[in-house]
């Protein structure tokens, strides 16, 4: 009896063994809302509470957006005597725990931000060398998510091993708290996180920062391919898509390529462009983190971010990112396996004029063995029009708007024997 009591209490002291990519989190890409794209450093408790309330009242929560993430600029710029971080008392007068409790009471989860450097990108105190202390503090506040940036890293990057070690320190510290905390690594694709992060993190940014623009080439974002040295910032939607396709196959359940937070609703793109942006983030299995003002949304914004069928592609249990099957000038075609022998296909037209685009069964099922038979008649559903387009055989041709997409689902691609 005594022995079993001792054993039971000893076991209770052993922290639950959770490993970042294997911590049971982000089985499908995480969804939520983040302060940065819309508000930058202008954040405070009231703004975050108002957003959380709107995520519930607008119904966004029911669509799956359940993480409320506080990005940079929440910190007080001095550690306490015991080395703990505190929030800026003017922005968060009740401290973090009270805010987190309020958001938890709404049935939502909460995320926080820091950098694997001496300072964050906004110049605030960060966590390099303080991993254990900070992870414990966040766990104490009830945090469910950490976005972990790359600024001021003291030269501890440049090889995958240096980056891995620096990010693993926080992964271990989070796991040591025993609290499941989704670990979202944000090193902008430096040193190829798709190769080194999948055993330590739930997602990793694969590009420099997005900005609210469809395809403008900007010198601040010099990389056009994923393997370039200066990830930069002000990366357009098309720039990020063209980099993401190359690393798509590195994603897996529990570890996702993060294409950065969404800009839908922030005003810099047309409705078609935002639809394309959201479609590709969903199909390439990026986390879907809203970055707009959720307290005041137009019906056009809601139409995009509240489309159940598109969200279902992102959250599908096949966990496979769509693959780019071809590029012809401004046109691209993507095909992705979904559960139950269904298939998503995207016809993307980055050109300035509407175009008719055609995808053949051979294009779509190029990698399936055997190919789906060209004579097979398959029902096709339009996921944005939310209606069936009828049955098709061998190929499908559709009009695709300028800077736009058609996102369709093949309802039965089982190969007949
Ligand atoms: C960048 C990061 C952004 C945002 C910003 C905050 O490095 O990519 O998403 O977090 O820092 O300063």
């Amino acid at each position: 009896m005594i022995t079993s009591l001792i054993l039971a209490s000893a076991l209770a002291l052993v922290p639950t063994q959770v490993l970042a990519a294997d911590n049971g989190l982000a089985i499908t890409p995480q969804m939520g809302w983040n302060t940065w794209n819309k508000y930058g450093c202008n954040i405070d408790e009231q703004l975050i509470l108002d957003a959380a309330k709107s995520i519930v009242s607008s119904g966004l929560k029911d669509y799956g957006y359940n993480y409320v993430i506080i990005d940079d600029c929440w910190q007080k710029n001095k550690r306490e005597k015991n080395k703990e971080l505190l929030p800026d008392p003017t922005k968060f007068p009740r401290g973090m725990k009270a805010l987190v409790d309020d958001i938890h009471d709404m049935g939502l989860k909460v995320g926080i931000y820091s950098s694997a450097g001496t300072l964050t990108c906004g110049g605030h105190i960060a966590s390099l060398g303080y991993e254990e202390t900070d992870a414990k503090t966040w766990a104490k506040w009830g945090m469910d998510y950490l976005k972990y940036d790359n600024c001021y890293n003291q030269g501890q990057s440049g090889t995958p091993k240096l980056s891995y070690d620096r990010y693993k320190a926080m992964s271990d510290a989070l796991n040591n708290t025993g609290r499941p905390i989704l670990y979202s690594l944000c090193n902008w694709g430096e040193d190829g996180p798709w190769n080194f992060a999948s055993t330590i993190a739930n997602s990793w940014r694969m590009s420099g920062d997005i900005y609210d623009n469809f395809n403008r080439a900007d010198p601040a974002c010099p990389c056009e391919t994923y393997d370039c040295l200066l990830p930069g910032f002000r990366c357009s939607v098309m720039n990020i898509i063209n980099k993401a396709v190359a690393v798509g196959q590195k994603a897996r359940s529990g570890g996702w390529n993060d294409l950065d937070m969404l800009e839908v609703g922030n005003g810099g793109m047309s409705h078609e462009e935002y639809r394309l942006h959201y479609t590709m983030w969903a199909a390439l299995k990026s986390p879907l983190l809203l970055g707009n003002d959720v307290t005041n949304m137009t019906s056009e914004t809601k139409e995009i971010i509240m489309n159940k069928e598109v969200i279902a592609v992102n959250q599908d249990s096949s966990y496979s990112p769509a693959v780019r099957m071809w590029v012809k000038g401004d046109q691209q075609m993507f095909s992705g396996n979904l559960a139950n022998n269904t298939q998503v296909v995207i016809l993307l037209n980055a050109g300035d004029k509407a175009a008719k685009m055609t995808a053949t069964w051979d294009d779509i099922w190029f990698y399936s063995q055997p190919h789906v038979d060209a004579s097979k008649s398959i029902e096709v559903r339009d996921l944005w029009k939310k209606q069936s387009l009828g049955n098709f055989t061998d190929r499908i041709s559709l009009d695709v708007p300028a800077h736009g997409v058609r996102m369709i689902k093949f309802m039965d691609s089982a190969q007949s024997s």
Side-chain angles (χ1 to χ4, degrees):
M1 172 71 180
I2 289 176
T3 335
S4 61
L5 266 182
I6 292 171
L7 195 62
S9 45
L11 281 176
L13 292 176
V14 178
T16 331
Q17 191 56 48
V18 281
L19 296 170
D22 206 13
N23 55 9
L25 300 172
I27 298 300
T28 56
Q30 65 265 32
M31 294 174 66
W33 174 81
N34 175 301
T35 52
W36 184 255
N37 280 358
K38 174 76 186 170
Y39 303 102
C41 279
N42 299 319
I43 55 168
D44 61 25
E45 158 171 328
Q46 197 53 50
L47 180 135
I48 291 158
L49 269 179
D50 288 348
K53 282 181 200 151
S54 296
I55 288 168
V56 177
S57 64
S58 63
L60 281 171
K61 177 179 168 225
D62 303 328
Y63 284 83
Y65 299 98
N66 62 347
Y67 284 101
V68 172
I69 301 154
I70 307 167
D71 209 288
D72 204 356
C73 305
W74 58 268
Q75 311 83 339
K76 173 178 165 185
N77 269 325
K78 200 170 172 330
R79 287 185 182 271
E80 300 304 286
K81 283 213 175 69
N82 63 4
K83 305 291 179 215
E84 276 186 20
L85 283 176
L86 281 183
D88 178 337
T90 55
K91 293 178 174 175
F92 298 92
R94 296 187 300 147
M96 273 301 179
K97 173 114 179 38
L99 173 61
V100 172
D101 287 348
D102 286 352
I103 300 176
H104 280 162
D105 287 347
M106 298 179 209
L108 297 167
K109 294 173 188 284
V110 192
I112 192 98
Y113 161 99
S114 190
S115 179
T118 48
L119 295 174
T120 69
C121 301
H124 297 278
I125 268 186
S127 303
L128 187 65
Y130 292 90
E131 291 84 358
E132 290 291 332
T133 310
D134 292 353
K136 272 191 205 130
T137 303
W138 297 323
K140 192 170 72 183
W141 292 344
M143 289 296 172
D144 308 295
Y145 187 116
L146 173 68
K147 172 176 171 181
Y148 204 39
D149 215 331
N150 194 28
C151 279
Y152 299 97
N153 65 31
Q154 307 299 298
Q156 293 180 42
S157 69
T159 71
K161 178 75 172 129
L162 281 172
S163 288
Y164 172 81
D165 288 346
R166 187 163 44 90
Y167 282 98
K168 183 170 188 295
M170 183 55 86
S171 177
D172 291 345
L174 294 174
N175 289 336
N176 288 341
T177 68
R179 182 177 177 83
I181 299 180
L182 194 155
Y183 185 34
S184 148
L185 192 155
C186 174
N187 83 335
W188 326 305
E190 236 191 27
D191 298 327
W194 42 83
N195 287 325
F196 71 75
S198 71
T199 53
I200 56 169
N202 296 109
S203 63
W204 48 89
R205 279 270 300 280
M206 44 57 57
S207 162
D209 293 17
I210 191 171
Y211 86 135
D212 193 6
N213 188 282
F214 180 63
N215 61 359
R216 183 173 174 275
D218 193 302
C221 177
C223 294
E224 306 230 338
T225 56
Y226 71 93
D227 54 349
C228 145
L229 287 179
L230 265 180
F233 56 101
R234 289 207 299 264
C235 299
S236 73
V237 160
M238 283 310 300
N239 170 282
I240 295 177
I241 293 170
N242 287 326
K243 291 185 294 201
V245 290
V247 296
Q249 78 281 9
K250 300 289 183 170
R252 62 180 187 80
S253 177
W256 305 103
N257 286 302
D258 177 356
L259 276 60
D260 205 354
M261 293 143 334
L262 294 156
E263 293 284 6
V264 182
N266 282 338
M269 286 183 254
S270 72
H271 191 52
E272 287 303 341
E273 291 167 345
Y274 278 141
R275 199 199 294 282
L276 181 156
H277 169 28
Y278 194 87
T279 297
M280 293 315 302
W281 263 234
L284 296 175
K285 308 280 150 120
S286 172
L288 294 177
L289 300 171
L290 304 169
N292 59 312
D293 175 1
V294 286
T295 66
N296 183 16
M297 297 184 281
T298 63
S299 52
E300 287 201 325
T301 295
K302 287 190 193 165
E303 187 236 323
I304 293 179
I305 64 180
M306 294 179 168
N307 181 324
K308 277 204 178 97
E309 297 182 53
V310 176
I311 292 172
V313 169
N314 181 256
Q315 301 287 305
D316 187 81
S317 61
S318 72
Y319 314 121
S320 337
V323 175
R324 185 160 75 183
M325 306 306 286
W326 53 250
V327 182
K328 296 176 189 168
D330 285 328
Q331 303 179 359
Q332 308 189 8
M333 197 280 275
F334 296 81
S335 177
N337 299 327
L338 300 176
N340 305 319
N341 283 316
T342 60
Q343 189 86 9
V344 65
V345 167
I346 294 142
L347 303 173
L348 182 156
N349 174 17
D352 296 338
K353 285 196 189 114
K356 188 169 279 291
M357 291 180 62
T358 301
T360 66
W361 283 197
D362 277 355
D363 291 338
I364 295 171
W365 285 285
F366 184 78
Y367 295 115
S368 320
Q369 289 306 329
H371 280 22
V372 170
D373 195 325
S375 65
K376 186 177 165 84
S377 160
I378 311 177
E379 189 194 352
V380 173
R381 189 170 166 80
D382 188 314
L383 299 188
W384 285 113
K385 292 190 194 307
K386 301 182 185 167
Q387 66 187 35
S388 172
L389 300 177
N391 273 54
F392 293 78
T393 309
D394 182 43
R395 65 190 53 223
I396 182 165
S397 296
L398 294 174
D399 293 317
V400 188
H403 294 191
V405 284
R406 296 296 292 273
M407 186 185 204
I408 53 181
K409 182 169 169 182
F410 287 74
M411 302 311 285
D412 170 21
S413 48
Q415 183 61 284
S416 39
S417 51

